[in-house]
């Protein structure tokens, strides 16, 4: 199983690379979607880490992938700019999936 990081900055990408996780730096929504399409097709890909800024470039598509794909697991990670409201995001995913506000 492979792990890959899609980052908006070299610091996050290099830090994860030191830990043995391959990755790349992208800056546009088109680059993100193209890369995600390739990663999804790779049957050995298990986890795709994405910085918050990357997720914010195309949130609708990434949310759709998170809900529909069995593999790879798409995980939002905070970068050097700080965290996000990941708890609120998870609440909205659950509410959308089951139709009940938490």
């Amino acid at each position: 199983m492979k792990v890959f990081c899609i980052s908006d900055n070299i610091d996050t990408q290099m830090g994860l690379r030191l830990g043995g996780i391959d990755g790349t730096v992208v800056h546009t929504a088109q680059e993100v979607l193209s890369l995600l399409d390739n990663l999804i097709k790779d049957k050995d890909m298990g986890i795709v880490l994405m910085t918050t800024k990357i997720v914010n470039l195309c949130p609708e598509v990434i949310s759709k992938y998170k809900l529909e794909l069995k593999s790879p697991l798409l995980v939002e990670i905070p970068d050097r700019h700080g965290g996000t409201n990941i708890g609120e995001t998870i609440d909205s995913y659950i509410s959308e999936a089951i139709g009940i506000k938490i």
Side-chain angles (χ1 to χ4, degrees), residues 54-67:
I54 292 299
V55 172
N56 290 336
L57 287 176
C58 42
E60 296 84 18
V61 175
I62 293 174
S63 288
K64 181 181 174 212
Y65 283 162
K66 283 182 175 183
L67 290 172

Side-chain angles (χ1 to χ4, degrees), residues 18-87:
L18 289 171
I21 297 174
D22 287 328
T24 190
V25 176
V26 295
H27 299 288
T28 67
Q30 184 58 37
E31 290 174 317
V32 173
L33 295 176
S34 176
L35 183 57
L36 268 177
D37 286 340
N38 291 333
L39 293 172
I40 289 168
K41 291 175 187 173
D42 184 352
K43 298 297 181 194
D44 292 330
M45 189 59 57
I47 301 171
V48 177
L49 305 172
M50 295 177 287
T51 60
T52 300
K53 281 189 174 183
I54 292 299
V55 172
N56 290 336
L57 287 176
C58 42
E60 296 84 18
V61 175
I62 293 174
S63 288
K64 181 181 174 212
Y65 283 162
K66 283 182 175 183
L67 290 172
E68 294 177 358
L69 294 176
K70 292 183 180 183
S71 181
L73 176 64
L74 304 178
V75 180
E76 180 179 347
I77 60 171
D79 59 10
R80 66 179 182 192
H81 303 292
T84 62
N85 298 328
I86 292 177

